[in-house]
Amino acid sequence: MKKFLLSKKSMLMMAVVAVMAVACGLKITTVEFTTHEPGQGDELTVKATFMQEGDNNADNFYELFAVRVPSDWSAKGLKVVDKSAGGVDVEMIGCDAYAQFCEYCFPRDGYKWIAFQSKEARNQGGNSVAGVRLVAGQAMGDYTLDILAGGWKKDPAELVKDGQVNIELAFGNDLDFKKACTDADEATGKPATYFKSSEYLFIAGTISQAEYRARMEAMKASQTLTAYGMTMPIAPDIANVTNDVDMAVSVKEGAGIEGVAADAAEGAAEYFDLQGRKVANPEAGLYLVKRGDKIAKEIVK
């Protein structure tokens, strides 16, 4: 996995913002884009802030973050800054296992997940700001980005086993849920009816409520897990969903593409030496170049 660690100065220049969430009381409060209309191949920054509600982060966790982007997009790095305990910078590395897990829980045609984790497990705590640099692809159109973030006590690499999502560990390893299975729910008087994502894997997200509920029902209908002596369905879990933010982007025609189109509109280039004689195959040197009704001196290298 490639390591990303940027200086605070670099962070201010980043072009895509991302999110870190680490306890069940954490919620995405704001998401900011440097642009909602990137050109083809342009960089953009998505910046997210999180608020801690409650005190569920006393233990050490690996911080996890993933962003869902169109399939031809890429990421150039991620940095977490501004932790409430004195502005601690957190070193992040790529996490293919978490990306695979997010894809399993929330797939979408034409999109992919790009994920990161903290290099080491650490005490969470307080509010945070996170940012990620993204690079828009070449496919123009309207898209919606999404974020999932949280924390996990275990090594995130264990989310995948033999190339597949480790269902037993990812959904069946949650001590709080074990208690819910054995004790009646205070509100309904009934025990839990499905295994959810374990130990704070999904804490905060921007997935729409409609997609979240639909995917939860689809997973519950398609797969079961036997744990704690019980066989029940599995389903993803997002403790806090934030829907009142603008996650839409529109990829526009890039400046480089416009330049090529302009050249084409002006006509093919014709080369002449300085004496006005047409040159079919110009070599290195200075020439008169005619495009349409425009003539200019250009150096061919």
Side-chain angles (χ1 to χ4, degrees):
M1 295 184 290
K2 188 175 181 181
K3 179 170 73 176
F4 301 100
L5 182 59
L6 306 177
S7 67
K8 289 185 177 180
K9 183 179 290 185
S10 298
M11 173 60 192
L12 295 176
M13 300 173 63
M14 286 199 309
V16 180
V17 177
V19 181
M20 299 310 306
V22 289
C24 68
L26 201 62
K27 182 179 181 180
I28 300 172
T29 56
T30 64
V31 179
E32 301 173 24
F33 285 71
T34 53
T35 176
H36 284 275
E37 296 186 347
Q40 294 164 296
D42 286 353
E43 292 186 4
L44 64 152
T45 299
V46 178
K47 181 179 180 181
T49 57
F50 298 85
M51 177 183 293
Q52 174 63 48
E53 300 174 336
D55 185 22
N56 297 296
N57 53 4
D59 296 327
N60 287 337
F61 291 82
Y62 286 94
E63 295 183 336
L64 298 169
F65 164 79
V67 56
R68 187 171 62 183
V69 299
S71 298
D72 63 340
W73 286 41
S74 60
K76 298 194 73 172
L78 174 120
K79 178 68 177 290
V80 180
V81 296
D82 244 354
K83 306 299 289 186
S84 62
V88 178
D89 290 343
V90 180
E91 187 172 0
M92 302 296 293
I93 57 177
C95 186
D96 291 339
Y98 188 49
Q100 185 171 340
F101 179 72
C102 291
E103 178 66 24
Y104 177 81
C105 290
F106 294 103
R108 186 176 182 182
D109 290 343
Y111 287 76
K112 66 181 178 182
W113 287 95
I114 300 174
F116 304 86
Q117 66 169 85
S118 58
K119 186 176 181 181
E120 299 175 347
R122 59 186 303 279
N123 188 275
Q124 314 303 336
N127 299 344
S128 62
V129 179
V132 61
R133 251 188 327 173
L134 299 177
V135 180
Q138 294 298 316
M140 294 184 291
D142 298 327
Y143 304 96
T144 301
L145 307 189
D146 278 297
I147 292 168
L148 288 173
W152 204 28
K153 294 181 182 179
K154 296 186 178 295
D155 183 348
E158 295 182 41
L159 283 169
V160 172
K161 181 180 180 181
D162 299 328
Q164 303 296 321
V165 172
N166 190 337
I167 302 299
E168 290 78 10
L169 189 61
F171 292 91
N173 188 54
D174 191 322
L175 297 179
D176 292 340
F177 186 75
K178 181 178 181 180
K179 185 176 186 299
C181 289
T182 55
D183 296 346
D185 180 84
E186 293 182 2
T188 64
K190 299 178 181 179
T193 57
Y194 63 91
F195 289 108
K196 64 181 180 179
S197 307
S198 72
E199 297 189 75
Y200 311 132
L201 269 172
F202 284 156
I203 302 309
T206 62
I207 299 291
S208 72
Q209 288 285 358
E211 179 184 359
Y212 177 33
R213 296 302 174 188
R215 186 58 181 159
M216 182 180 291
E217 294 305 316
M219 288 180 65
K220 286 166 62 176
S222 63
Q223 188 159 352
T224 60
L225 172 67
T226 298
Y228 311 131
M230 295 168 290
T231 299
M232 294 190 299
I234 62 173
D237 180 56
I238 304 177
N240 287 308
V241 177
T242 299
N243 292 151
D244 56 346
V245 292
D246 183 7
M247 301 298 294
V249 294
S250 295
V251 179
K252 305 297 185 181
E253 187 174 56
I257 302 300
E258 291 174 354
V260 172
D263 287 347
E266 292 174 356
E270 296 180 272
Y271 293 84
F272 301 84
D273 63 21
L274 298 182
Q275 286 71 47
R277 294 172 296 197
K278 190 169 184 178
V279 179
N281 299 300
E283 299 179 351
L286 181 63
Y287 294 88
L288 296 173
V289 181
K290 180 181 180 182
R291 292 185 176 87
D293 58 357
K294 298 179 181 179
I295 300 176
K297 286 185 179 180
E298 294 184 12
I299 295 177
V300 175
K301 297 182 179 181

